[in-house]
Amino acid sequence: MKNVPEIFGSMVFNDSVMKARLPKETYRLLKRTMAEGKRLDLSVANVVANAMKDWATENGATHFTHWFQPMTGITAEKHDSFISPTDDGKVIMEFSGKELVRGETDASSFPSIGLRSTFEARGYTAWDPTSYAFIKDGTLCIPTAFCSYGGEALDKKTPLLRSMEAINKRALRVLRLFGNTDAVCVTTTVGPEQEYFLVDKSVYEKRPDLIYCGRTLFGAKPPKGQELDDHYFGSIKPRVAAFMKELDEELWKLGVLSKTKHNEGAPAQHELAPIFTTTNIACDHNQLTMELMKNIAKKHDLVCLLHEKPFAGISGSGKHNNWSMSTNTGVNLLDPGETPQDNAQFILFLCAVIKAVDDYQDMLRVSVATAGNDHRLGASEAPPAVVSMFLGDELTAILDSIENDTMYDPKEETLMRIGVHVLPKFPKDTTDRNRTSPLAFTGNKFEFRMPGASLAVASVNVVLNTAVAKVLEEFADELEKAEDFQKSLHDLIVRTIREHKRIIFNGNGYDDSWIKEATEVRGLSNLKTTPEALSHYTDAKNIELFTSMKVFSEAEIHSRQNIRMQNYCRVVRIEARTMREMTEKQFIPAMSKYSKVLADTIISKKSVFAGIDCTFEEKTLERLSTLTSEAYAKVCELKALLETLKIIKKDYSKAAFFIKDEMIPCMNALRTTIDEAERICAAEYWPVPTYGEILFSVK
Ligand code: ADP
Ligand code: MG
């Protein structure tokens, strides 16, 4: 491998390339556009486009694409080549400012329920100059936002950029109150830790459920799972190491700060963590990481599973969204700081997050709600569906002391007065962190652990950014009017702690007693499934949140709710059909075949002498026959449910609840039956690789 600093960012049209290749004035104007989010003048865009094209073709690119993130799926691209014909029958490579800045695309194949009348199928993509262009597979990729002709967001990036602007404005107002005059912008930062499974291609290809659904729909527990923790601590297998090495190199070329790689808890499970960066870029990079993981795995005859829960009974894969706020001068606003003044500012921003999470706990749950994640949340491996925050004992004690004006540390007789006392140091230690908490404060950032592995993190950061922006606005409104800033600040903090401390929970989130306390005593919401969560998307207070912060219009919210309900229905419907097909075409025939073998054995044994003991054959045959009939009955039921679903299909919300209440229980019952059959069926008759064979497929 070439040395890392040399390859890092070598496929990115980044700042140093721009500086080297653009005329000074163009560079200056482009930087200003990037910093201020202004529109780029077409004459400037032409110069940038030309320089980009030259750089891209020198690096082997022949095509360009507006790279965007539709509401479903990972990313979308439509490739155009740079070629442009000349009079003499040849071609030259061309790329105009217009092509760089704005692209037209047929929006009809992307979800846009309610936002686009059918006669206006066009959408457009608009360059996001804050995210650098890059070359992937010989194509210059230009990160873009994707909107309908009327300007409504049809993607994940547009609302994210809007939410970044929303929090920037309000955080700056609050900073000014603390006398900060040098920061010109506040961005949020994200470091998404990505979990994934790697399995051998040969076993994957024999599992229709993995192929169609990305997860196993059947499968009895293997004799060995993750109970020994030996995978986590074990060395990385050579094939996996080779995959990780190539992945790192390709990510580095694209300027992705891939930093940490290791095995995870379950067999065949691994994790990659990048160094955090600005949220918008972190989200783009995470999409790229997922795409590269899938593609590079194939080259190694592996398959990368990004599903939230590929295997029942084995830990699923999450994506930890580490989130903080930072000024352009590099101050992390969730870092407690050293002086009483810094501490006071920290406590206020912390309170803003506490209130935001409490006020919009349902929206945070909505942001991670997918059919796949429903199998993971609350399954004693991932946080429960109840949103709460972990602050750690020290910080919680400090908040207590502030709220009640009591001693923080009785021995030392320390009172905690905002803006007067220095906060005691609390350990940033990572060892005693509470892994069961959905949202944990980890010293200078929050780690949101509810997102599933395949989720585009834009969705959770839109909610975090917007909810915190909203609260910061309320705080700024109140404090800007204050006659005595210190006193008002103190009152505001005390009030916020008092009103919102119910969301703080440092105990074991996997405990059933917590769910009871959370819902019955504290009144926190427990939205167990995607349809239940999504129905709160359009609650009045959530519509007010997004419209007042100018992140979504009301129409956009309704559209997104519908699209996600529809997506939930589609995902589960594919699973149901796959179950039906596997049961009818593979499992029932296999069960019959083995039954026949057992029956034949009984007959031939008895032909030797009638009184021979056939207990095993008879009992197994009997049980297998019962299971076969049960499986058949369940499959018939499932087919009838799929027919009913066809009728209500267009009412996505109704269909989603029908699926949750009727179809999923039937699917679960079918699975239980088949899994028992797998356990008693002879190995050679079982038509698909078992859990053990899949999970331990990479040697
Ligand atoms: P873990 O023990 O969970 O692996 P680390 O402390 O190593 O955690 O960090 C996890 C992730 O948090 C990394 O991606 C890291 O870059 C990111 N991170 C650290 N500081 C911040 C921050 N201020 N904002 C956002 N993410 C951050
Ligand atoms: Mg983590």
Side-chain angles (χ1 to χ4, degrees), residues 193 271 320 322 433 435 447 449:
E193 298 164 69
E271 185 187 290
H320 294 173
N322 294 275
R433 265 187 299 172
R435 296 249 141 220
E447 180 168 342
R449 306 208 182 92

Side-chain angles (χ1 to χ4, degrees), residues 11 13 49 52-53 55-57 61-67 79-80 82 95 100 133-142:
M11 287 295 161
F13 194 73
M52 244 187 214
K53 183 255 314 174
W55 168 82
T57 51
T62 51
H63 288 68
F64 69 92
T65 181
H66 276 199
W67 182 79
H79 296 208
D80 276 305
F82 290 121
F95 185 45
L100 165 65
F134 55 90
I135 299 172
K136 182 170 64 71
D137 299 328
T139 298
L140 171 69
C141 298
I142 299 148

